[in-house]
Amino acid sequence: MKKLSRRGFLAVSGTTAAGGLLTHLGLDLSPSVAHAEALKTRYARESTTICPYCGVGCGLIVSTMNRNVINVEGDPDHPINQGALCCKGQSLYQVATSDRRLTKVLYRAPRSTEWEEVSWEWALGQIADRAKATRDATFTEKDAQGRTVNRTHGIASLGGAALDNEECYLYSKLMRALGLVYIEHQARI
Amino acid sequence: MQTDASREDALAAWFTAVWRRDQDSLQRLASEAQVPADLFDWAGRQLCRPFFHRLGELLGAATSGPHGAREPRATCPACGGPPQMARLEREEGRRYLWCGLCDVQWAFKRVACPFCGNSRHDQLGYLAVEGNERDRIDVCEVCRGYLRTVVERGMQEGVQIDFLVEDVGTLHLCMVAEGRGYRPGAAGGDSEGAQARGSAQADPPH
C-alpha cells in the first residue's frame, strides 16, 4: 500500500481543511488511501443541446460515456425550460438507447395487414412517383377566370419542429416548385 | 519580545495571505515563523474559519436560495475564494457551489469550469465512480482543476447533505482525482493555473 506522508497528505487535501485536521490529530488515513486505490472510475462528458421535438426549444444536458448516451436531462441554466422537461422530452434517452426503435423502412401496401421491410431506395422512389402522380392529376394551370396559377390543391405539407432553418428553407422551396399552396410548419401552431 | 501591536500586525498579514491565497506571502511568513509552509497555510485557514463562517451567516440571506445569485459567479460571494465542493440539486439539477471557508452556497452554471471559466464541452468531464451514483468528480481539461460533486437526484427525499461532513467523507475522491493529475481549486489567473492551461492542451482525455 502506498504510504502517504503528512506533507503529501496536505498537498492531497489541498483546501480540504477538515481533512487536514484528521492527520494532525494523528488519525490513520490508510483506509481512505486503500479505498481510493480500489475505486474504479469512468470518464463521462456533459454536452448541452436543444430538444428535437416541438417548437419550444427546451435546453438539454446529454451525458455520454465512450460516445454512448448515459443520461439526458433538462438544462437548469437554459432560460426557456430552466431544467424542466415534458414527458416526451424526459423519454429522449430512449431515442438513443431503445432497442425497439425502427432502424429499417417498413411498408404496408394498400389493404394489406402486414408490414414488410423495404429498401430506402424503393421507398424514396415510391414517394417521388406518388407525389408526382397526385400533383399531375390535380394540377391547375389556369383558374376559372383564365388567370395563370400553376398550383395544386391535391397535396398539403406540414413541416416538423425537428427541421432546422435551412432545411425549412429548402423544403418550402421544393414544395412551391411542385405547386403546393398549403405549406405549414409545426412551430406556427 | 514582540509587542501586542506587532503581534496583531503579524496575525493580520497571516490572515490576509490565507484569504487571498497569496502563496508568496505565505512562503515568506512561514519561513519567518520557521514553520513548514503547508502547515502554516493550513493552520491559518483553520484560524480564519470561525470569522468567515460568521461572515457567511451575515451574508447568507443575500447568497442563498435558488435565485440568490442573478449572475452565475465562480467565486464565493462572501470571501471571493474558489469553491471546495458542489451539489446538483434534486428538482431541476441546478448546480450549487460551496465555500469551505465561509460555509456559503451559491448557484453556478452546470457546464462550465468554476476555476478557469472554460465552457467548451469537449474540455470538460466528470469521473463517475463505479457503483456510486451519488458522488462524482467534475474535471476541467483546460486548467486541470477538479471539484467533488454530490448528485442529489436519486437520494432519499428530505435528506439534506451537510458539506462539512461530505468534505471529510469524500476525501478518497480527492485522492482519486489527484492520482489522475487533477488539482484542487486549479487555475483562476494565478501563475500555476496559467502554466496548467498551457500544458493541458496536449493532454488527451481519458
Side-chain angles (χ1 to χ4, degrees):
Chain A
M1 189 191 301
K2 193 170 75 179
K3 273 202 86 164
L4 206 63
S5 66
R6 190 205 72 208
R7 193 180 173 81
F9 178 70
L10 284 167
V12 160
S13 66
T15 53
T16 310
L21 189 61
L22 293 177
T23 21
H24 285 272
L25 290 173
L27 289 179
D28 183 12
L29 274 168
S30 52
S32 268
V33 177
H35 189 191
E37 283 173 352
L39 282 181
K40 286 203 174 88
T41 59
R42 298 210 288 162
Y43 196 88
R45 287 188 194 288
E46 289 184 330
S47 309
T48 54
T49 186
I50 307 293
C51 177
Y53 289 136
C54 81
V56 172
C58 292
L60 303 167
I61 294 181
V62 179
S63 304
T64 52
M65 203 177 262
N66 299 326
R67 294 188 164 268
N68 293 317
V69 175
I70 55 166
N71 189 43
V72 179
E73 64 187 299
D75 181 353
D77 302 316
H78 198 279
I80 288 174
N81 57 317
Q82 297 181 18
L85 285 179
C86 73
C87 51
K88 194 174 171 186
Q90 279 172 19
S91 67
L92 256 176
Y93 175 65
Q94 296 170 11
V95 170
T97 59
S98 174
D99 55 4
R100 296 179 64 193
R101 195 179 166 193
L102 296 184
T103 54
K104 302 222 165 64
V105 185
L106 294 183
Y107 172 70
R108 185 174 60 78
R111 286 172 292 281
S112 167
T113 55
E114 299 295 320
W115 291 94
E116 54 181 304
E117 223 172 76
V118 294
S119 70
W120 274 103
E121 203 173 58
W122 183 86
L124 289 170
Q126 284 292 306
I127 292 166
D129 287 350
R130 293 179 193 198
K132 176 78 162 61
T134 306
R135 183 251 194 192
D136 289 353
T138 59
F139 199 72
T140 321
E141 274 183 42
K142 290 186 193 304
D143 67 5
Q145 283 88 47
R147 292 173 297 198
T148 304
V149 288
N150 284 334
R151 70 187 174 200
T152 172
H153 285 165
I155 310 174
S157 165
L158 178 59
L163 296 174
D164 62 34
N165 205 39
E166 290 72 18
E167 285 166 342
C168 283
Y169 176 82
L170 290 171
Y171 191 72
S172 67
K173 206 167 180 175
L174 174 69
M175 293 301 117
R176 287 191 201 289
L178 285 169
L180 266 73
V181 181
Y182 301 120
I183 301 173
E184 252 307 345
H185 189 270
Q186 192 267 350
R188 208 157 67 167
I189 56 176
Chain B
M1 196 174 147
Q2 282 191 317
T3 63
D4 284 353
S6 73
R7 272 172 209 255
E8 270 180 37
D9 286 348
L11 204 58
W14 188 10
F15 276 26
T16 308
V18 168
W19 171 43
R20 291 187 176 157
R21 316 297 306 144
D22 181 351
Q23 295 306 324
D24 291 343
S25 299
L26 280 171
Q27 291 280 351
R28 184 173 49 78
L29 292 167
S31 69
E32 279 172 16
Q34 297 180 327
V35 176
D38 54 5
L39 185 58
F40 188 77
D41 182 18
W42 177 83
R45 272 183 84 80
Q46 299 314 307
L47 285 170
C48 282
R49 276 180 118 191
F51 301 102
F52 280 97
H53 272 238
R54 183 69 187 127
L55 180 66
E57 277 170 16
L58 292 171
L59 293 172
T63 56
S64 63
H67 304 290
R70 285 192 185 277
E71 289 296 321
R73 46 181 299 168
T75 53
C76 171
C79 74
Q84 188 156 326
M85 285 192 75
R87 67 184 176 98
L88 304 183
E89 151 278 335
R90 175 198 305 276
E91 295 299 326
E92 291 155 352
R94 197 178 294 272
R95 174 156 78 164
Y96 289 92
L97 306 180
W98 175 68
C99 174
L101 199 56
C102 310
D103 197 20
V104 162
Q105 297 181 34
W106 68 100
F108 188 64
K109 293 180 278 203
R110 274 281 294 272
V111 187
C113 171
F115 306 122
C116 74
N118 164 41
S119 61
R120 286 180 50 189
H121 304 162
D122 58 348
Q123 295 287 317
L124 291 162
Y126 65 89
L127 299 171
V129 181
E130 243 171 55
N132 179 353
E133 300 273 296
R134 209 194 74 132
D135 301 317
R136 68 183 215 186
I137 308 163
D138 287 40
V139 295
C140 172
E141 300 305 338
V142 173
C143 73
R144 303 290 288 173
Y146 75 84
L147 188 65
R148 288 164 296 158
T149 301
V150 179
V151 183
E152 295 190 324
R153 190 169 289 171
M155 276 172 57
Q156 197 184 327
E157 211 157 326
V159 173
Q160 286 272 327
I161 67 154
D162 182 342
F163 271 120
L164 291 170
V165 176
E166 294 296 333
D167 191 18
V168 185
T170 58
L171 206 54
H172 56 287
L173 298 183
C174 291
M175 297 172 183
V176 167
E178 293 182 29
R180 284 159 180 71
Y182 297 103
R183 293 178 298 115
D190 58 333
S191 58
E192 220 183 329
Q195 277 170 14
R197 275 192 291 282
S199 64
Q201 305 295 342
D203 284 345
H206 300 239

